[in-house]
Amino acid sequence: MGSAGRRLGSRGQSAPLGLALVFAVMIVSTTAVVALGADAITSTQTQLDVERTEKSLTELNSKTALVALGQTDVQQVSLPASSSSTYRIDENAGWMNVSYQNTTSGNRTTVFNESMGEVAYHGSDETRLAYQGGGVWRSNGDGTSVMVSPPEFHYRDATLTLPLVTVSGSGAIRDSASITHNTSEQYWPNESAGATNPLESGTVEVSVKSEYYRAWGQYFETRTEGSVNYNHSSNRVTLELLVPATNPPVRGGIVAGTPGTSMTIKNNAEADSYNSSEGPYNGFPDNSNSRIISAGDVDVENNAVIEGDLESGGDVQISNNGEIRGNLSYGGSASGGGYPGGVSGWSARNASVTAPDSVERLIDTRRSSISSSNDNADTSVDIDNSTNTLENCASTCELTAGNYYLSEVTLDSSDSENLLIDTSAGPVNVVVNGTVTIEQNQQIEVVGGNRVNVYIEGDYYQRNGAFVTVEDDKAPNFWVYANPDADAEFNNNAEFTGVLYGPNGPNNDGADITLDNNAHVYGGVVGDVTFVSNNYGIHYDEALQRTETTTVSQAIPSVTYVHVSTNDVNITSN
């Protein structure tokens, strides 16, 4: 009996203990559920607040646009806020700067520089939303930002339309706001200020300083594929749009000058043509389809002969047995003792000469890309990788298909240096960061059926019997691209086959090209040619009329028409 009683007593104590443990587990579980539920409710409430705010600011965006762009005088908008959030107006938040640089003169003009202002939502967490510049943006508190609704910024078919909406006002908004129009100003086009379309030559830059600059930049990249640069230390992004370059096929043995320049063709100088797609040059006069083109004045004198046409945007004078054995088109006047008898074809005042645009940006782009990634280390080519110069050229250097970066090219008589460029396996692209000099009977020989493109940052000199030859006289297979401030010289029995291309648009002269003393060009030259003299020969390759001038597109988009204005609205709390 005693033993049984003790066992019964043990059971009586374990039941209350178990019940206590059950209650403890229930309390802990309930507390955890309540805590987790509270966090979930808070998170859900925050998310709902953000979504509601995005909708409210998007509605503010659309109604503000109606007022700013003159479709209505006043609008009302509801901006409900929770107990832990507010909307605030700050007319000094962020700015936008639009500028235009004429690449011919180098002058930069500020079109406008305006504070954008904002209506910003300050929530209970680090999320921040704002209406700014005609768009709605969200900042996540970690330096990142995204676009919720796009701004009033439109780019299509080389046309930029930017009616910037700016905000005036200050203070908090309680539940609803009133939007009224303040001012609007048209900056471009503005004929009285000289701001006209289409743009001739230059770049347009749009800079934005904003808490949401990253999202602005992403929008620029998406809509324009432009040159977008970020300055993270200043919360700023800049978009650059380029006026499109015009580089049509080379239409003459010489394409020269700008209005106000002058070119003299004299002293037995001769110009004719051939067509390398049909065969090599066959001696003067091979063909009478030559063409000399100049935007400025031209003098033809002292037994100079043009076997083809002359087109001059200025005055033309013919004297001392100068001859044009084709047609004469001029923009100013035609005169001289040899006029009109020195013109075999028709003569008319109907010239319209437009100079090609500079390839300076193209040269810079190719220099940047090829200097960082090239085939210099290929064991089959003769390049000193420590100095980026040709070596072993006494036994003829050789370049084959690929991209090469050289600091300079000098071929002279010191080591009987020559260069062979073999394009049989593909095109050859060469960037020369300095000057090219070929003299004293040295030679560059191009073989194979593909193209050679040489981009030079310095000058080009070919003289004293130096040769550049291309198989079958195919000038379209050898191109030298020069900056507009470069010097180029072909003289003293030098012979060049190809195209030297150094224009600078309609208002500057381009590369300064000298053609003198028994030298011959088979192909064409483009730049500022002031005289052609002393038994000089220009033999235009008609195949250039069907050849692309540049084979690498410039990655920055173009802008030709600009429509820019600012439209200020006043936002006040009701």
Side-chain angles (χ1 to χ4, degrees), residues 97-148:
N97 179 289
V98 177
S99 64
Y100 164 68
Q101 183 175 29
N102 187 306
T103 52
T104 299
S105 64
N107 294 331
R108 179 174 293 280
T109 301
T110 298
V111 180
F112 72 70
N113 186 24
E114 295 285 342
S115 294
M116 292 186 292
E118 68 177 16
V119 177
Y121 163 84
H122 300 261
S124 56
D125 61 358
E126 293 184 343
T127 301
R128 180 180 171 94
L129 292 112
Y131 167 80
Q132 182 185 76
V136 178
W137 317 89
R138 183 175 73 238
S139 172
N140 299 319
D142 58 359
T144 63
S145 56
V146 296
M147 182 186 71
V148 177

Side-chain angles (χ1 to χ4, degrees), residues 124-290:
S124 56
D125 61 358
E126 293 184 343
T127 301
R128 180 180 171 94
L129 292 112
Y131 167 80
Q132 182 185 76
V136 178
W137 317 89
R138 183 175 73 238
S139 172
N140 299 319
D142 58 359
T144 63
S145 56
V146 296
M147 182 186 71
V148 177
S149 180
E152 295 293 339
F153 177 100
H154 311 281
Y155 175 80
R156 185 176 182 181
D157 296 333
T159 298
L160 172 64
T161 303
L162 176 54
L164 177 66
V165 179
T166 60
V167 171
S168 292
S170 62
I173 297 177
R174 303 296 181 186
D175 296 329
S176 65
S178 178
I179 310 163
T180 57
H181 185 263
N182 278 342
T183 60
S184 291
E185 186 166 354
Q186 180 74 32
Y187 289 94
W188 204 296
N190 184 345
E191 189 170 349
S192 63
T196 59
N197 286 323
L199 301 181
E200 291 184 356
S201 176
T203 59
V204 173
E205 285 190 354
V206 179
S207 293
V208 170
K209 179 179 174 63
S210 169
E211 179 180 346
Y212 320 100
Y213 76 99
R214 292 178 186 267
W216 276 96
Q218 291 165 3
Y219 178 73
F220 290 154
E221 291 173 343
T222 301
R223 287 302 180 93
T224 69
E225 298 180 354
S227 175
V228 178
N229 297 301
Y230 295 88
N231 186 330
H232 298 294
S233 63
S234 300
N235 289 353
R236 190 168 73 242
V237 62
T238 299
L239 165 70
E240 181 185 40
L241 300 174
L242 179 68
V243 176
T246 302
N247 299 108
V250 176
R251 298 190 301 115
I254 297 175
V255 180
T258 57
T261 61
S262 178
M263 176 170 60
T264 299
I265 305 172
K266 64 180 183 179
N267 297 345
N268 301 303
E270 56 191 32
D272 66 349
S273 68
Y274 69 106
N275 191 333
S276 66
S277 63
E278 299 175 358
Y281 181 74
N282 196 35
F284 182 84
D286 189 7
N287 207 326
S288 60
N289 293 325
S290 180

Side-chain angles (χ1 to χ4, degrees), residues 50-103:
V50 169
E51 292 176 358
R52 182 181 67 245
T53 302
E54 287 183 355
K55 292 179 181 179
S56 298
L57 288 176
T58 300
E59 183 180 5
L60 171 68
N61 183 6
S62 62
K63 291 188 174 182
T64 301
L66 293 174
V67 175
L69 303 181
Q71 298 182 36
T72 183
D73 293 331
V74 63
Q75 287 284 302
Q76 307 291 331
V77 63
S78 176
L79 295 173
S82 66
S83 59
S84 59
S85 63
T86 59
Y87 292 89
R88 298 195 65 85
I89 306 167
D90 182 356
E91 62 183 23
N92 296 313
W95 52 255
M96 178 181 289
N97 179 289
V98 177
S99 64
Y100 164 68
Q101 183 175 29
N102 187 306
T103 52

Side-chain angles (χ1 to χ4, degrees), residues 513-529:
I513 303 173
T514 300
L515 308 174
D516 197 11
N517 291 339
N518 301 299
H520 290 260
V521 168
Y522 301 87
V525 295
V526 180
D528 181 25
V529 180

Side-chain angles (χ1 to χ4, degrees), residues 256-420:
T258 57
T261 61
S262 178
M263 176 170 60
T264 299
I265 305 172
K266 64 180 183 179
N267 297 345
N268 301 303
E270 56 191 32
D272 66 349
S273 68
Y274 69 106
N275 191 333
S276 66
S277 63
E278 299 175 358
Y281 181 74
N282 196 35
F284 182 84
D286 189 7
N287 207 326
S288 60
N289 293 325
S290 180
R291 184 181 292 115
I292 304 295
I293 301 169
S294 174
D297 302 335
V298 178
D299 292 344
V300 183
E301 59 186 56
N302 294 346
N303 300 303
V305 175
I306 299 174
E307 285 283 348
D309 301 336
L310 171 63
E311 185 174 4
S312 166
D315 299 332
V316 173
Q317 180 168 297
I318 304 172
S319 61
N320 296 331
N321 298 314
E323 292 185 65
I324 301 171
R325 296 176 180 174
N327 304 317
L328 170 61
S329 177
Y330 57 92
S333 63
S335 62
Y339 179 79
V343 181
S344 300
W346 55 258
S347 176
R349 190 173 183 270
N350 61 358
S352 178
V353 179
T354 301
D357 286 329
S358 167
V359 287
E360 183 174 12
R361 183 177 291 273
L362 172 64
I363 294 170
D364 289 343
T365 300
R366 298 300 280 157
R367 177 175 55 81
S368 177
S369 62
I370 292 178
S371 64
S372 60
S373 177
N374 55 60
D375 299 302
N376 285 21
D378 190 328
T379 56
S380 68
V381 300
D382 301 300
I383 296 177
D384 184 334
N385 291 312
S386 63
T387 60
N388 291 318
T389 58
L390 296 171
E391 60 180 359
N392 302 321
C393 294
S395 58
T396 302
C397 292
E398 182 175 352
L399 300 180
T400 55
N403 300 319
Y404 304 99
Y405 179 81
L406 300 173
S407 58
E408 65 177 8
V409 173
T410 302
L411 303 176
D412 57 32
S413 62
S414 59
D415 293 309
S416 298
E417 297 175 320
N418 296 287
L419 171 63
L420 174 67

